[in-house]
Amino acid sequence: MMRAVIYGVLALTLAGLLGWNLAETEPPRMGFDGSELPTLPATDNPGSGHNLEQDLAALYERQAWSARAPQSEESGHTEQSETEGPEGLDRFRLLGILRVTGSVPEALLRDQNAKDNSPAVFRAQEGELLKDSEVTLAAIGQQQISLEQAGESKTLLLFPRRPMNGTSE
């Protein structure tokens, strides 16, 4: 009986040591050496905007701001182009606000009534008329912008609030 207990304890001890050696983890590092960071392109003047324009042009071309997959020409794309989009203050959607040190903040907007020959996404500064319309970009805030047209105004939020009860606003 005593011999079975000793063999059992010895077997458990050896199994524990073997498991400990096999599951040995890397000790935690206390310092930060920066090797985990991705490399950034080296520029003489990071605020110059030279590469920024090329990068934004590539994003516009690829429509990278959209989470939807691009539609093929065979799909029901012709039905959407036949119907007119919203007009007035409801025509534009806020996609982002660009703030670069040393330059005026700009809003990245989407024109929901864009024609085939003009880009649907564009940038606008405060006080500009938006895309051949009577709508003016009145103010750019922290996470919102204000649009005005003929004395009427509307605020567009960068992150619109969604009701929790299932109704639409």
Side-chain angles (χ1 to χ4, degrees):
M1 170 77 178
M2 188 64 148
R3 188 180 289 174
V5 172
I6 291 175
Y7 285 138
V9 170
L10 185 61
L12 287 174
T13 305
L14 288 175
L17 289 174
L18 180 64
W20 184 267
N21 286 335
L22 291 177
E24 190 171 315
T25 60
E26 183 180 338
R29 293 183 292 177
M30 299 307 285
F32 178 74
D33 59 0
S35 63
E36 297 86 14
L37 292 177
T39 58
L40 298 175
T43 59
D44 297 335
N45 187 3
S48 68
H50 174 68
N51 289 336
L52 180 65
E53 292 296 326
Q54 291 174 347
D55 293 343
L56 285 174
L59 287 175
Y60 296 155
E61 182 180 324
R62 296 178 192 156
Q63 295 185 350
W65 58 86
S66 176
R68 287 185 301 199
Q71 296 178 348
S72 65
E73 294 297 323
E74 305 80 78
S75 67
H77 191 281
T78 56
E79 296 173 8
Q80 290 178 352
S81 63
E82 292 174 1
T83 61
E84 287 295 319
E87 286 294 327
L89 296 174
D90 295 329
R91 177 177 171 182
F92 302 101
R93 293 289 176 250
L94 178 62
L95 298 177
I97 297 175
L98 306 173
R99 295 184 189 278
V100 179
T101 304
S103 66
V104 179
E106 294 178 321
L108 188 63
L109 297 165
R110 179 181 178 103
D111 184 4
Q112 294 187 346
N113 200 11
K115 306 295 184 239
D116 291 335
N117 57 357
S118 66
V121 176
F122 64 98
R123 297 178 352 187
Q125 294 179 353
E126 197 169 305
E128 278 187 38
L129 286 175
L130 304 179
K131 293 272 272 194
D132 301 327
S133 68
E134 301 294 322
V135 179
T136 305
L137 179 58
I140 298 176
Q142 189 68 20
Q143 291 186 359
Q144 65 185 12
I145 63 169
S146 295
L147 302 176
E148 288 183 356
Q149 180 184 17
E152 198 177 331
S153 67
K154 181 176 181 177
T155 300
L156 298 178
L157 300 174
L158 185 58
F159 303 107
R161 295 179 187 93
R162 306 234 187 265
M164 300 302 283
N165 59 2
T167 62
S168 63
E169 289 183 324

